[in-house]
Amino acid sequence: MLDASVQRAFSLAAHSYDAAAGIQQASARALLAMLPETAPRRALDIGCGTLPLIRPLRAAFDTCHWLALDVSTAMLAEARDRGRCDEQVSLVCADAEALPLASASVDLVYSSFALQWAASPERAVAEAARVMTPGATLALCLPLAGSLAELRDSWAQADAGEHVNALAPLTRWQQALASAGLGMDVSQQVQVVEYYDDVRAVATMLRTTGAHVVRGRAGGLVSPRRFARMQAAYERRRQTRGLPLTWQVGYLVAHKPAADSL
């Protein structure tokens, strides 16, 4: 199940998420372009957040009813307040590893920058596969091992603590899909580098998107001395465009075998 501290972080970030989630929204749009041309009747968006992509999703599948699922009630409330819900969008507050849906009940599962927070990638993928109808599509994009390497390495020069979440490699997600009995259609890893004016701008981006919390790590203030050491280490990486922050983004599109092939 999702760590309670992560849930709190996303709830606190609900109002600021849209403005700060540049890499998240760009990746979600790229994933949308990879989807096959199908006509799902019922689709599930796992970790929908504030539903920033609901309009292009609706445009791509205009006859589909969407189940917008997120663990944060604040995120769902923000989506409603921003006018992104109507009779074709149902909001569902639940954990990705325990979907409150019947087996074989959705024709498309879409999830962007969400399932990396799952305690078990295998459990999350198995749950998604469980609710998929035969022939349904599962489309995921998520940050992979190697993301935020500059931040991780700079903190390592300041102290021995964990300040950046460990992320699974693409191979683990591929194996999880295979173990769930899904056939792979797209599997690729893309490196994206963003640039920031200073370390505090990096920290602000992570905080305002809810991504600053480290799973399983007790919260607490970092001493000014340790932060200064980290900041100095990061500054040594400065380039002409600013401080680099690298993301390794994985894109996975898979299908559940049709009933006649089972």
Side-chain angles (χ1 to χ4, degrees), residues 171-188:
T171 52
R172 184 172 177 185
W173 290 101
Q174 292 169 330
Q175 291 164 2
L177 291 168
S179 296
L182 302 180
M184 192 76 68
D185 299 313
V186 176
S187 177
Q188 65 182 58

Side-chain angles (χ1 to χ4, degrees), residues 33-73:
M34 298 178 186
L35 295 180
E37 292 186 6
T38 59
R41 293 173 298 176
R42 200 164 184 242
L44 171 65
D45 183 352
I46 298 178
C48 66
T50 64
L51 284 173
L53 267 292
I54 192 60
R55 288 185 176 87
L57 286 169
R58 289 278 301 275
F61 306 105
D62 57 358
T63 62
C64 181
H65 184 89
W66 281 90
L67 301 173
L69 183 143
D70 202 276
V71 74
S72 167
T73 56

Side-chain angles (χ1 to χ4, degrees), residues 20-201:
I23 180 69
Q24 292 87 342
Q25 295 191 35
S27 299
R29 290 182 184 277
L31 180 64
L32 176 57
M34 298 178 186
L35 295 180
E37 292 186 6
T38 59
R41 293 173 298 176
R42 200 164 184 242
L44 171 65
D45 183 352
I46 298 178
C48 66
T50 64
L51 284 173
L53 267 292
I54 192 60
R55 288 185 176 87
L57 286 169
R58 289 278 301 275
F61 306 105
D62 57 358
T63 62
C64 181
H65 184 89
W66 281 90
L67 301 173
L69 183 143
D70 202 276
V71 74
S72 167
T73 56
M75 284 284 191
L76 297 176
E78 188 72 15
R80 187 185 298 108
D81 292 345
R82 290 175 181 262
R84 293 169 177 167
C85 307
D86 59 20
E87 67 279 357
Q88 284 188 271
V89 179
S90 298
L91 301 181
V92 182
C93 185
D95 192 291
E97 294 176 77
L99 299 173
L101 304 175
S103 297
S105 60
V106 296
D107 308 309
L108 169 64
V109 178
Y110 174 93
S111 182
S112 175
F113 268 62
L115 290 189
Q116 75 274 9
W117 293 105
S120 167
E122 293 76 17
R123 172 63 180 170
V125 170
E127 265 293 88
R130 179 185 66 80
V131 303
M132 293 166 63
T133 58
T137 296
L138 170 64
L140 307 177
C141 72
L142 64 173
L144 301 171
S147 294
L148 312 182
E150 299 90 349
L151 183 62
R152 178 188 297 276
D153 293 346
S154 297
W155 269 118
Q157 295 182 52
D159 64 26
E162 289 293 327
H163 297 274
V164 178
N165 282 300
L167 296 169
L170 182 63
T171 52
R172 184 172 177 185
W173 290 101
Q174 292 169 330
Q175 291 164 2
L177 291 168
S179 296
L182 302 180
M184 192 76 68
D185 299 313
V186 176
S187 177
Q188 65 182 58
Q189 181 169 337
V190 177
Q191 179 173 292
V192 179
V193 182
E194 298 182 308
Y195 295 89
Y196 291 85
D197 291 340
D198 51 37
V199 170
R200 292 193 181 277

